[in-house]
Amino acid sequence: FPEMNPSMDSYRIGTLLELVRSIAIKLAEQNLRVRVCVQGSMGVGIFTGTPKQLNGASTLMQRMDWQSGKGENNEGMVGNYVNFGAIGREHVVNAHIDSEGNQVEQDDVFILLCPQSMIGVESSIMGRLSDMVEAAGDRPVILVNPDLADKVSSNGQQSIKGRKERMEFADSFKSIYHFQNIYVSGTSYFPILGAITKLHPSEPWVAHQRRDLANNEGELYVPVLSTEDMPNGEMIMDTIDIM
């Protein structure tokens, strides 16, 4: 989706945060305790930083209008059913009694916003992410717009060491919802040929072709291909009729 694609000029962090807020509220309405997580600073010493797509995202997320104040629709939701954190084992909360003798309930679901490694930083997100998944056990960990590919780093930390294990871990996640535009090439974002969708964990992958309606009255997306696995570019281009 263009507004959620960091590589496009139309990228808007607000749209992504609104999506995450909507998911978190829906889950909380089902009496599930949700922890929304945005990765923190990565790297070592002075060579630390946060991916630019996530700069300030944690603060913005917490300052959004959750309608959680007194008398509002979701009164008391934030701090009870919705909480915030970063990525790492230490951000997984289990049921326990705190220092004041209060019962603290465990997190039921974790939503991780755009987990990714950084170019040039000698630290991969995969270690923190795998530790968090292990600590979560059988509780769902939802990744929104993840980028789990290795990045270029000066000492080859993300290109050689443990690459096989990182790839296997990344492949262990299952796509439950997907929307992606189809373009002529990977370097051009116009024209839009169609879209690839997966609308539910049990639904198939579907490729749609975009067609213009007559008299400039809009556009229509027509299903042209359905597969059990995500279709590759060759399959899609063999199916789509390019005018």
Side-chain angles (χ1 to χ4, degrees):
F1 189 68
E3 288 189 11
M4 298 185 188
N5 186 344
S7 64
M8 300 187 70
D9 293 339
S10 57
Y11 174 69
R12 178 177 176 269
I13 185 63
T15 302
L16 202 57
L17 297 182
E18 288 163 4
L19 169 66
V20 171
R21 177 178 61 181
S22 178
I23 296 172
I25 289 175
K26 288 294 184 182
L27 291 171
E29 289 175 347
Q30 299 176 45
N31 291 324
L32 295 172
R33 286 180 165 80
V34 184
R35 186 162 299 273
V36 180
C37 302
V38 181
Q39 70 190 71
S41 182
M42 300 174 60
V44 179
I46 63 172
F47 300 103
T48 60
T50 303
K52 63 180 181 179
Q53 302 97 312
L54 299 176
N55 188 25
S58 180
T59 300
L60 289 172
M61 175 64 71
Q62 296 180 49
R63 291 182 177 178
M64 293 179 74
D65 183 8
W66 289 82
Q67 291 286 299
S68 184
K70 186 175 181 179
E72 295 183 312
N73 291 338
N74 303 320
E75 181 178 346
M77 179 178 288
V78 173
N80 186 7
Y81 282 89
V82 175
N83 289 283
F84 305 97
I87 295 179
R89 178 184 296 272
E90 66 274 19
H91 296 281
V92 175
V93 174
N94 297 312
H96 66 279
I97 305 296
D98 65 17
S99 58
E100 298 180 355
N102 299 314
Q103 175 67 39
V104 178
E105 301 296 337
Q106 73 167 17
D107 297 325
D108 297 313
V109 183
F110 303 88
I111 302 177
L112 279 52
L113 181 64
C114 302
Q116 58 192 279
S117 299
M118 292 179 63
I119 295 176
V121 173
E122 294 303 316
S123 181
S124 170
I125 191 62
M126 300 299 270
R128 300 184 191 184
L129 180 57
S130 61
D131 286 346
M132 187 172 191
V133 170
E134 181 182 8
D138 59 358
R139 288 170 284 181
V141 178
I142 301 172
L143 310 185
V144 179
N145 271 19
D147 180 5
L148 302 184
D150 284 348
K151 300 296 194 302
V152 177
S153 57
S154 58
N155 292 331
Q157 178 178 335
Q158 296 181 56
S159 58
I160 300 176
K161 303 173 185 176
R163 177 174 175 79
K164 179 176 180 293
E165 291 75 13
R166 292 195 299 272
M167 292 177 64
E168 289 176 347
F169 175 68
D171 291 341
S172 69
F173 288 94
K174 179 185 294 186
S175 293
I176 58 174
Y177 177 83
H178 188 95
F179 181 96
Q180 176 183 347
N181 283 334
I182 301 171
Y183 306 99
V184 175
S185 71
T187 58
S188 174
Y189 300 122
F190 184 84
I192 297 175
L193 299 182
I196 304 171
T197 64
K198 183 177 178 65
L199 303 182
H200 189 273
S202 61
E203 292 289 326
W205 292 82
V206 179
H208 304 257
Q209 180 171 2
R210 187 187 69 85
R211 295 177 181 172
D212 293 318
L213 298 178
N215 303 318
N216 295 321
E217 293 184 357
E219 60 185 15
L220 180 68
Y221 283 77
V222 180
V224 294
L225 175 66
S226 177
T227 61
E228 290 299 318
D229 298 316
M230 184 177 181
N232 58 38
E234 183 177 354
M235 294 172 60
I236 295 171
M237 297 311 294
D238 286 344
T239 306
I240 288 181
D241 180 21
I242 302 178
M243 303 299 292

